[in-house]
Amino acid sequence: MKYVLLLSFLLPLLCRASDDSAILDELNFARTRPQEYAAILDVTMSTIPWADQRCVAEAEAFLRRQHPLPPLQSATGLVMSARDQAADQAASGEIGHRGSDGASPWARMARWGQWTGRAGEAISYGYSDARSIVSTLIVDQGVPNHGHRHNIFCRDFRVAGSACAPHPRYGAMCVIDFAGGFVEKGEKVAMVADAWRAIGEY
């Protein structure tokens, strides 16, 4: 628990508060205007040398078929759970959804409150701008079940929170946590949010 609280106060040094709004705006662009986003995805992925054009074409076809979804709302507790994982991997250089303490995304979310309905997580490595992060997660190259894409376009998800940080191996990373709803643990959330505000990072 001391480790978690220490990370919480160190997170502003690694993760900027503005990242969450930029990521959320981009996610909501894709969710609410998927047909328009297909053209944006094509342009964005054309700048990424490793992109498999067959995967890009499949993702564009998916977007053209996709019905618009309601925008996601920001949930402070999910921002915090995302920041836990971003700070952890910024220090460790590891990848994946489990923390260095073995915690799953759902366990990390539970530190900050209780989600309702369903919950999920997407993590991007190697990109620091919102458009590249969201576009590559939608293409989801190398992920057979397109789990990251499904999270972005899950109609059961109504709230989200994200955190971006430097990564020792890939340069940058971004964690996005999703849920149907989220009820924060008031006192703990307020304590950390007040610390962020005190140093101008929230």
Side-chain angles (χ1 to χ4, degrees), residues 143-163:
V143 181
N145 67 354
H146 297 314
H148 300 112
R149 180 195 300 175
H150 291 323
N151 281 339
I152 292 172
F153 292 98
C154 178
R155 64 177 60 255
D156 295 330
F157 291 159
R158 297 303 177 95
V159 295
S162 66

Side-chain angles (χ1 to χ4, degrees), residues 1-8 101 110-112 185 188:
M1 180 58 70
K2 289 182 179 179
Y3 173 69
V4 173
L5 290 175
L6 178 61
L7 273 179
S8 300
D101 60 355
R111 293 169 182 163
W112 301 103
K185 290 180 179 176
K188 187 174 183 181

Side-chain angles (χ1 to χ4, degrees), residues 26-94:
E26 196 70 19
L27 288 169
N28 285 335
F29 187 176
R31 279 174 63 95
T32 61
R33 293 183 282 171
Q35 288 77 29
E36 185 176 343
Y37 206 84
I40 289 171
L41 183 138
D42 182 62
V43 172
T44 303
M45 296 303 295
S46 70
T47 67
I48 297 175
W50 57 260
D52 184 326
Q53 291 307 307
R54 292 171 298 178
C55 296
V56 175
E58 185 275 331
E60 289 175 20
F62 165 85
L63 289 170
R64 294 191 188 99
R65 297 189 305 268
Q66 174 65 33
H67 294 295
L69 295 172
L72 298 163
Q73 303 300 314
S74 180
T76 303
L78 293 180
V79 174
M80 292 176 175
S81 68
R83 288 185 177 201
D84 280 348
Q85 186 71 345
D88 188 356
Q89 294 191 345
S92 70
E94 296 298 320

Side-chain angles (χ1 to χ4, degrees), residues 91-110:
S92 70
E94 296 298 320
I95 62 172
H97 295 283
R98 288 202 172 272
S100 59
D101 60 355
S104 68
W106 301 276
R108 280 188 279 103
M109 293 177 200

